[in-house]
Amino acid sequence: MKKKVELYRGKTKTVFSTEKSDLLVMKFRDEISSLDGVRVEKILRKGILNNKINYFLMKKVEEAGVQTQIESLLSENEILVKKLDMIPIEFVIRNRSAGSLVNRFGIKEGVIIHPALFELFLKNDSKHDPMINESYCESFGLLNKKELYKIYELSYKINDVLTFFFNKMNFILVDIKLEFGLYKNQIILGDEISLDSIRLWDKTTLNKMDKDRFRQCLGGLIEAYEEVFMRIVKY
């Protein structure tokens, strides 16, 4: 499948059209960003690793019955995907306290959250992705109750599948950010599941194996990404 016109360039991915109107090419670049795109750096091999990790994890949730936009790998850093009408909301499942949850509520990092917390954020970098709730979804015409409940069910299912999988790899899935879109009137999983969109800790050492290594200036980001990739593909 040949890519044609660049349609969208995000902070870390570029999306291209193809000769088929319902398919796109998603390219994972080597950039990494934080602070809503204020801090950006280039890290060699990051795009390749995130592309392969994303494909592997998307296929893992597909095996559990969750529809995704994934079609096929095209190259080391490109993937063919269905063209979705994306819902402008980030859906976050939190299994342990970390990141903005710690900052907002003063909770100690690493506290187990049971049942897992479900949060919604409007995708808007200029407004720092404000938190919203069901009322916002309905009042602003983003989602109706039926659609939101469907996403709620899918999000928890994905979280359960990946929590179980990562546990076997000696990892803790701390939290996960998900995005969904419409394809032929069906809600399916889109965007990515990668180490940019999840928090993952080593179960034994509690070392952070995800984008927090960049956010918190811990160093060793690409080494952590490579370690995660090597563990999951051995499964």
Side-chain angles (χ1 to χ4, degrees):
M1 184 67 64
K2 294 182 179 180
K3 60 190 179 189
K4 296 174 68 177
V5 178
E6 181 178 315
L7 299 177
Y8 170 76
R9 185 178 180 87
K11 295 188 287 290
T12 62
K13 299 190 297 294
T14 306
V15 177
F16 300 89
S17 65
T18 71
E19 58 264 36
K20 293 190 176 181
S21 61
D22 62 339
L23 294 175
L24 303 171
V25 172
M26 184 184 294
K27 180 178 181 179
F28 287 76
R29 306 194 312 273
D30 284 341
E31 284 90 350
I32 188 167
S33 71
S34 64
L35 303 173
D36 295 321
V38 173
R39 181 186 171 210
V40 180
E41 291 184 17
K42 186 172 183 177
I43 300 179
L44 190 65
R45 282 184 46 78
K46 176 181 172 288
I48 290 172
L49 288 165
N50 262 357
N51 184 41
K52 292 180 178 179
I53 290 169
N54 172 61
Y55 181 78
F56 185 93
L57 296 179
M58 285 283 193
K59 287 299 181 181
K60 186 62 61 176
V61 300
E62 279 188 352
E63 291 172 8
V66 176
Q67 287 185 286
T68 81
Q69 71 174 146
I70 294 299
E71 288 290 306
S72 61
L73 278 175
L74 294 179
S75 69
E76 286 194 317
N77 66 348
E78 293 178 326
I79 191 168
L80 186 67
V81 299
K82 301 177 185 72
K83 182 179 181 180
L84 307 185
D85 182 10
M86 294 301 294
I87 298 165
I89 300 173
E90 295 178 348
F91 303 89
V92 179
I93 299 280
R94 300 185 185 275
N95 301 302
R96 295 199 183 205
S97 57
S100 66
L101 189 68
V102 169
N103 297 330
R104 282 182 278 131
F105 294 99
I107 305 171
K108 183 180 177 181
E109 185 180 70
V111 174
I112 296 173
I113 302 170
H114 185 73
L117 187 63
F118 181 65
E119 295 183 323
L120 286 70
F121 299 88
L122 185 66
K123 281 181 64 67
N124 188 324
D125 281 347
S126 66
K127 300 298 182 183
H128 307 294
D129 299 331
M131 183 183 287
I132 60 174
N133 58 29
E134 180 181 326
S135 293
Y136 285 88
C137 291
E138 290 193 85
S139 296
F140 291 167
L142 301 172
L143 289 169
N144 59 41
K145 287 183 179 179
K146 183 178 179 180
E147 291 169 331
L148 183 57
Y149 186 71
K150 176 66 174 178
I151 290 174
Y152 175 90
E153 287 186 315
L154 289 173
S155 297
Y156 274 100
K157 184 172 184 177
I158 293 165
N159 183 63
D160 287 345
V161 169
L162 294 183
T163 295
F164 180 75
F165 170 72
F166 281 126
N167 182 62
K168 291 191 291 185
M169 302 298 103
N170 202 41
F171 288 125
I172 298 168
L173 180 61
V174 175
D175 58 38
I176 182 168
K177 174 186 73 68
L178 301 169
E179 296 187 34
F180 295 87
L182 294 174
Y183 182 76
K184 298 181 179 179
N185 297 317
Q186 295 293 316
I187 293 175
I188 68 173
L189 179 64
D191 194 48
E192 65 181 293
I193 305 177
S194 74
L195 294 171
D196 283 7
S197 63
I198 65 176
R199 282 189 172 89
L200 197 67
W201 296 352
D202 183 276
K203 194 190 300 185
T204 303
T205 65
L206 296 184
N207 286 340
K208 296 173 181 178
M209 309 297 289
D210 54 75
K211 187 178 173 181
D212 271 353
R213 301 203 68 84
F214 177 74
R215 295 186 186 102
Q216 300 174 15
C217 301
L218 299 175
L221 179 133
I222 204 65
E223 292 81 4
Y225 280 39
E226 287 175 338
E227 172 65 19
V228 172
F229 177 68
M230 291 305 296
R231 282 201 222 175
I232 65 175
V233 296
K234 286 180 180 178
Y235 173 70

